[in-house]
Amino acid sequence: MQGKLLLFCGPSGSGKTTIVRHLLDTDPRLAFSISATTRPKRETETDGVDYHFISVNEFKRRIDAGEFVEWEEVYKDRFYGTLRSEVDRLWRENKVVVFDVDVEGGLQLKKTFGELLLAVFVMPPSVEALHQRLTARQSETPESLKARVAKAEHELTYAFRFDRVIVNDTLEHALEEAKQVVAGFVQ
Ligand code: 5GP
């Protein structure tokens, strides 16, 4: 069985995860596709809820077994991927599947699912604002902060390929717009 899919992409620090969490908390028709990753778990995260945290070897085994709809080595030795089993499980539950993935992975999902998927790009108001948000989060080392900002600048050039763009200038405004996007897509 195939259902609808809703994709949120945007640079690290754009606020897309906050928007996705809010939508999931307030709309029972939506459910999150839990990605697999090899990056270490943050203190605030739970295995099997935020991600399936697995080793690099396990990740590579699953690539070879064809278990991913898409996967990326987003940062060096930091693999992230969408499991086909997640999408199938959520469709069986009649849910609209929600993705929070990087831009490359997002475009791959769009290619795979076509019109079934609505692709939304969450845009920070500026690169400076993004830098400030990532610094405030205190989850990054100076090196990983630099890598994330560099990747973000590149990702911003992809916004035009998405079905919708939401500028996250204030969270309140971005959440309101995200709700309208969902309302137009999920009927
Ligand atoms: P973070 O380490 O901040 O949780 O995520 C880093 C980046 O990886 C974010 O842009 C996030 O959206 C992306 N990401 C998370 N899960 C996946 C996935 O399954 N596939 C891909 N391609 N990217 C993902």
Side-chain angles (χ1 to χ4, degrees):
M1 197 201 79
Q2 292 201 312
K4 289 187 178 181
L5 312 108
L6 201 47
L7 163 70
F8 286 87
C9 277
S12 181
S14 64
K16 69 176 182 304
T17 304
T18 307
I19 293 172
V20 165
R21 293 285 160 211
H22 180 82
L23 291 173
L24 289 163
D25 285 348
T26 54
D27 192 333
R29 297 169 298 178
L30 312 179
F32 184 57
S33 163
I34 303 165
S35 295
T37 185
T38 63
R39 84 144 160 74
K41 189 169 85 59
R42 295 180 191 143
E43 252 176 44
T44 52
E45 293 174 324
T46 310
D47 187 23
V49 174
D50 299 283
Y51 284 104
H52 298 293
F53 293 96
I54 61 177
S55 68
V56 173
N57 279 346
E58 173 69 3
F59 200 100
K60 289 183 173 166
R61 188 193 64 71
R62 291 185 176 206
I63 293 173
D64 291 342
E67 292 183 25
F68 291 107
V69 187
E70 63 77 34
W71 62 270
E72 292 283 329
E73 188 175 4
V74 174
Y75 308 102
K76 171 106 185 64
D77 269 343
R78 298 285 192 254
F79 291 85
Y80 296 77
T82 303
L83 293 159
R84 157 66 62 184
S85 57
E86 272 295 300
V87 176
D88 287 340
R89 179 176 69 82
L90 299 175
W91 273 348
R92 272 200 303 275
E93 293 175 13
N94 284 323
K95 300 287 188 184
V96 174
V97 182
V98 177
F99 300 103
D100 171 350
V101 304
D102 87 323
V103 169
E104 304 286 345
L107 292 173
Q108 183 57 49
L109 290 172
K110 182 75 190 162
K111 223 192 237 172
T112 303
F113 295 110
E115 290 303 302
L116 290 175
L117 180 142
L118 186 78
V120 182
F121 192 90
V122 181
M123 183 89 120
S126 66
V127 172
E128 182 50 32
L130 196 109
H131 197 285
Q132 280 169 12
R133 282 180 199 169
L134 285 173
T135 307
R137 196 161 84 178
Q138 293 186 329
S139 58
E140 308 307 320
T141 63
E143 291 74 36
S144 75
L145 177 69
K146 217 170 138 194
R148 280 177 188 254
V149 172
K151 182 172 159 62
E153 286 187 307
H154 173 67
E155 286 184 334
L156 291 177
T157 65
Y158 284 84
F160 75 97
R161 295 214 212 166
F162 285 72
D163 300 317
R164 298 288 299 266
V165 175
I166 294 176
V167 179
N168 188 4
D169 43 6
T170 71
L171 190 59
E172 196 188 0
H173 161 248
L175 289 176
E176 193 44 49
E177 214 175 317
K179 273 191 210 160
Q180 282 172 19
V181 168
V182 173
F185 181 62
V186 184
Q187 274 131 23

